[in-house]
Amino acid sequence: MNNPLDGIDSTAKPLSEQIALQLRGMIFDQHRFQPGDRLPDERSLAIEMGVSRTSLREAIKILVAGGVLVIRRGVGTFVSETPGKVEDPFGFAYAEDKKQLLSDWYQCRLIIESEAMELVAKNAADEELEGLEELARRQGDMISAAHKGNPDGYSFMELDREFHSALAQATHSAVMGRVLPALHEWVYFGAAIGEYPRLSRQMEENARKSHLSIARFLKMRDGKGANLAMRYHMLQALEDVERP
């Protein structure tokens, strides 16, 4: 059996970084460890890789910081359920001006998500487009019912994330499919929660009308129409956020 560290160059990167790269290879390239899997104990893994436990420990710290591994005290080291995804890599949760952060976020989405609608219209399967329309209609009914005093387990932010994540997946772009949902995680649940009480009614009405409009344009594979509908959706959100 080949030593996993046969290719290590002692004159290149620090040993801990090289070990971290080898461990990443075991996870992402060799698929030896799957999301949620527990790594062998530190002593066994160090012997297998031919490195010291100290160097291995430092490599594990690097991968924990990168969101690839998680340490459960008293249990062991595990591959993250979402390896490589860091919860808040840009520190948005620490932004002091949440209103400005939310405004900046919508401006970013105005550029990215509007153009992404062209990809959805081009790449999505018919079943996906039908599912988007059904999802938008069902969510609109839930919003209307909540406004009439029948919330029925209703969570607007979860509904909104579900719709926009479905759009991202329907682009069939590996980048869009990861970036757009991540933006929701990093910003929406860091900034929007604080601003939501002030904006709830406007945000919900905007989503109820715009989501269905976007979905209907997409079902007709009208990318330009969906682009314009998404632009209206984001511009309306921006106007609501920036209103005193």
Side-chain angles (χ1 to χ4, degrees):
M1 178 178 177
N2 293 332
N3 187 322
L5 296 184
D6 280 344
I8 276 189
D9 179 358
S10 61
T11 65
K13 295 181 179 180
L15 182 58
S16 58
E17 292 184 22
Q18 295 183 64
I19 297 170
L21 287 173
Q22 294 293 333
L23 283 171
R24 281 183 61 92
M26 291 181 181
I27 296 166
F28 294 109
D29 300 330
Q30 302 169 26
H31 304 292
R32 176 176 168 186
F33 304 114
Q34 302 297 320
D37 282 357
R38 178 180 175 179
L39 296 188
D41 66 87
E42 188 180 273
R43 180 175 178 276
S44 299
L45 190 56
I47 291 173
E48 176 186 338
M49 300 184 75
V51 300
S52 71
R53 294 175 66 177
T54 300
S55 295
L56 176 61
R57 200 172 297 129
E58 290 302 313
I60 288 173
K61 288 180 181 178
I62 292 171
L63 295 181
V64 168
V68 177
L69 299 176
V70 292
I71 296 175
R72 299 176 189 166
R73 300 297 177 189
V75 180
T77 301
F78 295 78
V79 179
S80 169
E81 294 290 347
T82 53
K85 175 185 170 185
V86 182
E87 291 303 318
D88 186 16
F90 300 114
F92 289 140
Y94 299 97
E96 293 185 7
D97 190 339
K98 300 297 188 185
K99 179 180 176 181
Q100 185 59 53
L101 176 61
L102 198 57
S103 177
D104 291 345
W105 177 59
Y106 276 119
Q107 289 177 19
C108 178
R109 292 178 64 192
L110 172 64
I111 298 168
I112 298 174
E113 288 198 63
S114 298
E115 294 302 318
M117 295 306 95
E118 306 269 359
L119 284 177
V120 178
K122 177 183 177 182
N123 296 335
D126 290 342
E127 295 79 9
E128 288 178 293
L129 299 181
E130 291 171 3
L132 282 167
E133 184 182 35
E134 175 57 32
L135 178 60
R137 184 179 291 109
R138 176 168 54 83
Q139 291 182 344
D141 290 343
M142 292 179 71
I143 291 171
S144 296
H147 288 177
K148 294 175 183 177
N150 301 301
D152 191 25
Y154 168 83
S155 169
F156 169 71
M157 285 190 285
E158 289 294 342
L159 294 182
D160 194 49
R161 179 172 65 170
E162 182 182 9
F163 181 76
H164 285 277
S165 293
L167 285 174
Q169 297 305 317
T171 64
H172 290 269
S173 161
V175 174
M176 288 286 189
R178 289 173 171 82
V179 168
L180 296 181
L183 280 173
H184 274 268
E185 293 288 342
W186 298 337
V187 183
Y188 205 40
F189 289 87
I193 286 177
E195 289 291 309
Y196 180 68
R198 179 175 71 87
L199 301 169
S200 59
R201 190 78 179 199
Q202 300 98 302
M203 291 172 71
E204 292 171 1
E205 278 300 305
N206 182 9
R208 185 180 67 82
K209 296 174 182 177
S210 296
H211 287 185
L212 188 56
S213 176
I214 292 165
R216 284 174 172 168
F217 277 117
L218 289 172
K219 190 176 180 182
M220 294 186 291
R221 296 200 180 273
D222 183 349
K224 293 188 183 300
N227 182 320
L228 290 173
M230 180 62 79
R231 287 184 63 82
Y232 175 83
H233 183 31
M234 293 298 140
L235 287 169
Q236 184 62 57
L238 262 172
E239 182 179 321
D240 292 337
V241 169
E242 293 174 355
R243 184 181 295 120

